[in-house]
């Protein structure tokens, strides 16, 4: 009984300590939790300035002797969109950058933020990182749009594509979010307040991972600060279709789509299957726009099985 009481007392003290820390320093606590998540995937934050003067901040895993897997986040997100999946992808050398315009990377304004411009910047980044072998490339939403563009521009450098509800397929049926954008002119994926950010969080995922409220609020502040630039970036990517670019593309591709996606219609899978030469499609029931966050283990396992099949 004494042991039970002692454990209960320790739990109470821990809860009080954590609560006090959150109240006194919510930003520092949120950053600590982010670092814990990164640590579980053996990810270290790094920074590099390109000859062009732009600075990329990125995450990199320690497994540098393995095949390189570059992971590209979507619109309004950042490099930590893949920390849920990273623990299941330790077979790879992971590189996960903040796109220019997002996260902690440079945010020039005005600038060209089209997928072609972003892909060319990434090519410069990879050259500076001395990635002298073919890479696997994954992309979520806008990141998938950029990944397809990269593969079309530099096909000899991409071993495979992992597309998670990718953007740029504008001939597909309209999604709920795209109908709202066209009917109202307002983008429900951007936020000017903490409450609006929580709405974004609800829109993009059907099965979101648990995120403490104070962490959500810290995430919201970054999005609010980037609100004006995101308006311009969204307009640029919305006006860019990837369809002609990827027509006939032979890169082996694993196309994953959450059936409950409200941001981009799952019907886009039919379009990409017709345009691209080598596509394997997985539709995930009960999952929304961000499979790598909603079902991180399953999405990672599916990718590993796909890549293993390519190497047989």
């Amino acid at each position: 009984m004494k042991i039970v009481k002692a454990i209960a007392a320790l739990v109470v003290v821990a809860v009080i300590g954590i609560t006090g820390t959150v109240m006194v320093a919510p930003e520092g606590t949120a950053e600590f939790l982010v670092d814990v998540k990164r640590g579980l995937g053996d990810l270290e934050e790094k920074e590099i300035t390109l000859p062009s003067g732009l600075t990329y901040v990125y995450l990199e895993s320690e497994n540098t002797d393995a095949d390189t897997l570059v992971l590209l986040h979507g619109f309004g997100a950042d490099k930590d969109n893949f920390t849920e999946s990273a623990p299941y992808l330790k077979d790879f050398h992971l590189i996960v950058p903040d796109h220019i315009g997002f996260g902690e990377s440079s945010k020039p304004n005005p600038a060209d933020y089209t997928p072609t411009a972003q892909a060319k910047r990434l090519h410069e980044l990879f050259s500076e990182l001395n990635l002298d072998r073919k890479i696997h490339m994954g992309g979520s939403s806008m990141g998938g749009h950029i990944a397809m563009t990269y593969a079309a521009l530099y096909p000899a450098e991409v071993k495979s594509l992992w597309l998670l509800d990718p953007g740029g397929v504008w001939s597909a049926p309209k999604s709920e979010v795209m109908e709202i954008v066209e009917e109202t002119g307002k983008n429900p994926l951007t936020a000017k307040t903490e409450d609006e950010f929580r709405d974004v969080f609800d829109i993009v995922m059907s099965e979101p991972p648990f995120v403490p409220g104070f962490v959500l609020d810290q995430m919201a502040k970054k999005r609010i600060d980037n609100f004006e630039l995101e308006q311009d970036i969204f307009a640029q990517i919305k006006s860019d279709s990837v369809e002609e670019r990827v027509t006939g593309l032979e890169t082996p591709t694993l196309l994953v789509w959450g059936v409950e996606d409200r941001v981009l219609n799952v019907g886009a899978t039919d379009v990409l299957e017709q345009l691209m030469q080598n596509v394997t499609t997985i539709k995930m029931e009960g999952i929304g726009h961000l499979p790598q966050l909603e079902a991180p283990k399953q999405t990672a396992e599916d990718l590993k099985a796909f890549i293993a099949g390519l190497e047989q």
Side-chain angles (χ1 to χ4, degrees):
M1 182 63 70
K2 289 182 178 179
I3 293 176
V4 173
K5 288 182 177 179
I7 293 174
L10 287 172
V11 170
V12 170
V13 170
V15 170
I16 291 172
I18 292 171
T19 302
T21 302
V22 170
M23 293 177 66
V24 173
E27 183 175 354
T29 307
E31 290 176 356
F32 169 76
L33 293 178
V34 167
D35 286 340
V36 169
K37 281 286 188 182
R38 293 175 181 176
L40 293 174
D42 295 333
L43 295 170
E44 180 183 354
E45 183 177 282
K46 298 183 179 182
E47 180 177 314
I48 187 170
T49 298
L50 306 181
S52 63
L54 294 174
T55 296
Y56 271 101
V57 178
Y58 63 100
L59 301 176
E60 183 173 12
S61 67
E62 301 174 352
N63 195 9
T64 55
D65 292 330
D67 281 357
T68 297
L69 171 60
V70 174
L71 298 173
L72 305 178
H73 68 78
F75 176 80
D78 61 25
K79 56 190 176 296
D80 287 300
N81 245 213
F82 285 97
T83 52
E84 295 286 339
S85 298
Y88 308 108
L89 295 171
K90 291 185 179 181
D91 297 340
F92 300 98
H93 168 223
L94 299 179
I95 294 179
V96 194
D98 280 332
H99 291 298
I100 298 300
F102 296 94
E104 298 175 277
S105 291
S106 294
K107 299 180 177 66
N109 190 18
D112 186 348
Y113 286 103
T114 60
T116 296
Q118 295 284 40
K120 289 179 178 179
R121 293 182 184 117
L122 287 170
H123 192 257
E124 186 181 359
L125 169 65
F126 301 157
S127 296
E128 289 299 305
L129 295 179
N130 295 314
L131 298 186
D132 56 356
R133 44 193 173 168
K134 292 182 74 170
I135 62 174
H136 300 283
M137 179 172 282
S140 166
S141 192
M142 179 190 73
H145 193 167
I146 295 169
M148 286 186 282
T149 300
Y150 190 98
L153 291 174
Y154 313 104
E157 300 180 15
V158 182
K159 208 170 184 178
S160 74
L161 284 171
W162 183 34
L163 304 177
L164 301 154
D165 302 54
V169 189
W170 306 130
S171 71
K174 293 288 188 296
S175 66
E176 175 185 339
V177 165
M178 291 306 167
E179 287 181 348
I180 292 172
V181 171
E182 292 187 4
E183 291 173 6
T184 68
K186 295 181 180 179
N187 184 353
L189 300 177
T190 59
K192 289 188 291 186
T193 68
E194 291 176 353
D195 286 341
E196 286 182 358
F197 177 74
R198 289 172 185 259
D199 290 340
V200 173
F201 205 78
D202 290 338
I203 288 170
V204 297
M205 287 182 280
S206 292
E207 294 290 337
F210 171 72
V211 179
F214 72 94
V215 175
L216 281 176
D217 290 342
Q218 294 305 313
M219 294 168 65
K221 289 180 181 178
K222 297 177 183 179
R223 293 295 306 280
I224 293 166
D225 290 343
N226 212 34
F227 178 81
E228 295 300 333
L229 180 56
E230 286 186 9
Q231 305 305 305
D232 183 40
I233 294 175
F234 186 82
Q236 291 190 44
I237 61 175
K238 182 66 175 66
S239 65
D240 180 273
S241 172
V242 77
E243 295 174 41
E244 182 177 351
R245 204 172 296 146
V246 300
T247 297
L249 187 67
E250 297 179 353
T251 307
T253 299
L254 179 61
L255 176 61
V256 180
W257 218 292
V259 174
E260 304 300 322
D261 192 342
R262 300 165 63 190
V263 179
L264 295 170
N265 194 298
V266 67
T269 55
D270 297 333
V271 178
L272 289 175
E273 287 170 349
Q274 292 176 13
L275 296 177
M276 301 169 73
Q277 295 296 305
N278 193 359
V279 179
T280 299
T281 301
I282 296 175
K283 297 180 182 179
M284 302 186 74
E285 297 290 340
I287 300 299
H289 186 58
L290 299 174
Q292 78 277 13
L293 287 174
E294 299 176 67
K297 183 176 181 180
Q298 185 60 56
T299 32
E301 294 297 334
D302 288 341
L303 174 66
K304 289 190 289 186
F306 174 75
I307 290 177
L310 297 178
E311 296 172 348
Q312 290 179 353

